[in-house]
Amino acid sequence: MSGYGITHYHDTKEIYRQLDRLLHQPVRSIKAEALKEYEEEYFNKKCLKSKAMIERAKKFIPGGVQHNLAFNHPFPLVFDRAEGAILEDIDGNRYLDFLNAGGPAVLGSNPPGVLKKVEELLEHCGPSTGLFHEYELKIAELICSHIPSVEMFRMLNSGTEACMASIRVARLATHKKNIVKMGGAYHGWSDQLAYGIRLPGSRHFEAKGVPVHIFKQTQEFFPNDLKSLERTLRANTFRGGTAAVIIEPLGPESGTRPLDFDFNAGVRDLCDKYGALLIFDEVVTAFRVGMAGAQGYFGVMPDLTVFGKIVAGGYPSAGGLGGKREYMNYLAAGIKAGGGKKALVGGTLAANPLSAAAGYFTLEAIDRTNACQKAGLAGDRLTRGLQELIKKYNLPFVAYNQGSICHLETVGTMLLHIDIKKFWKIKSTIKEAHTRKKAMEEMGAAYMAEGIVTLAGSRLYTSAAFTDELIDEALTCFERVFKKVDGVTS
Ligand SMILES: Cc1ncc(COP(=O)(O)O)c(C=O)c1O
């Protein structure tokens, strides 16, 4: 399919076969003595400024960092330089950036063209006025012209907010009550969607601090399982109906649990059959999979699309909701024509000129430079190289990618699930997930010490700033880590 960052769709069944094999083996992680050496020789000798700053930060910031993704074993590092595919910490150490700011940096960090436009805007307007700015129109026009199902776009502060807005609109539009999500998916951290997070079947277990009654009208279904979705939709017809089914179109956690190619079309059919809206959460996929998003790639049109991350190009306040005019009108500002119902949304800094301009120039540059395709090819090269290394060292690890979204599963934490019928196993599954997560963090620390920044030790986003040489350099770093994994003899 041309125009997309995914050159070939993976063989989903084969990936699950490999992941299943991984889950049924003892965890293989970095050897204890190798981890100790990384801690002593790298973190405690070459990262002293970071170490000191995080010690100070721990007094004033819970856990010492303001962002979950910045957490790192044995302590987070502090970064103050970012350019293209390269990051530098305050001790002057250089890293290859596969975190991509958590997804937004499809062009690479701090692209100079966008920076220049943002500087120009800031000089004469500042970051926000609370009033309308031309770039709000320009970014809405641009998004509507590329994303096939989107006729209108309202910019919000974050993906979390946009997901919240999407389910409010769905309930108003359908007059139905329930929201169904795919188990394991992350749609931000709002109360109602903090359900079935990370592990399918986990229901409210990860939603500490949220009263259980909030989830009375939220259900989850199992990824790749249309039958479990239909069972839920059918049951909901007796309890207020389903307002929306919300999914990540590549699968939960950006395709960590990959989907069959036809799955989204199946979900669309079931939504139509039961009169529910289909919401695609394209926070990660829009403008990364391609300018037409995952919906263009799969040829499946949702009713509402959630945006985030890339729509502000890595600048603050990245979120928005798009969709058909009839639904988007529930978000109209002012008194609604005819006095119709309105969904409550807000945000003092939503759609400020800075975010709108940064987003507009980022999306325009992604399109003009074919950045999705370039980042996707870098992802293909990285994944191929990782697969070769896995084979060379006879490791049980699994590497696969959806273009520039690459997965390197070494422990399979998020491949576990909870079967509520086997209630006696719930505690042990959660315990196992924590043990595996710890091993994943240790692998992440080893990658970091070798000069590779990953997303939580198991996901790697490539950007258009990666050249073949940089990908090959990364593979050399990965090889150094793989040689130090339990059971590998060199
Ligand atoms: C698929 C998906 N939806 C929603 C969100 C939440 O977006 P934000 O962090 O902007 O609130 C994320 C964030 O990682 C995400 O990956």
Side-chain angles (χ1 to χ4, degrees), residues 29 35 73 413 433-443:
S29 186
L35 181 65
H73 177 89
T413 317
H434 287 153
T435 312
R436 286 177 181 268
K437 192 160 178 272
K438 188 167 172 286
M440 193 165 91
E441 275 175 9
E442 291 172 357
M443 286 299 283

Side-chain angles (χ1 to χ4, degrees), residues 44 50-66 70-78:
N44 285 338
S50 281
K51 192 176 180 187
M53 191 173 288
I54 295 297
E55 278 309 311
R56 259 175 65 206
K58 276 185 191 160
K59 286 194 200 127
F60 302 103
I61 302 169
V65 280
Q66 299 283 20
F71 186 78
N72 185 64
H73 177 89
F75 51 82
L77 301 184
V78 185

Side-chain angles (χ1 to χ4, degrees), residues 67 69 102 157-163 185-189 246-249 251-254 281-285 306-309 317-319 455 459 461:
H67 201 283
L69 291 182
N157 276 308
S158 65
T160 299
E161 284 189 4
C163 288
Y186 180 64
H187 301 295
W189 54 282
I246 180 166
I247 60 173
E248 292 179 68
E253 286 283 347
S254 309
D281 179 342
E282 293 232 36
V283 163
V284 170
T285 50
V306 174
F307 297 93
K309 301 188 191 272
S317 287
L455 192 156
R459 199 179 311 156
Y461 289 121

Side-chain angles (χ1 to χ4, degrees), residues 80-88 95 97 107-112 465 470:
D80 65 352
R81 279 175 189 275
E83 188 184 345
I86 308 295
L87 298 173
E88 203 178 295
Y95 302 83
D97 176 15
L107 295 168
S109 277
N110 207 9
L470 288 174

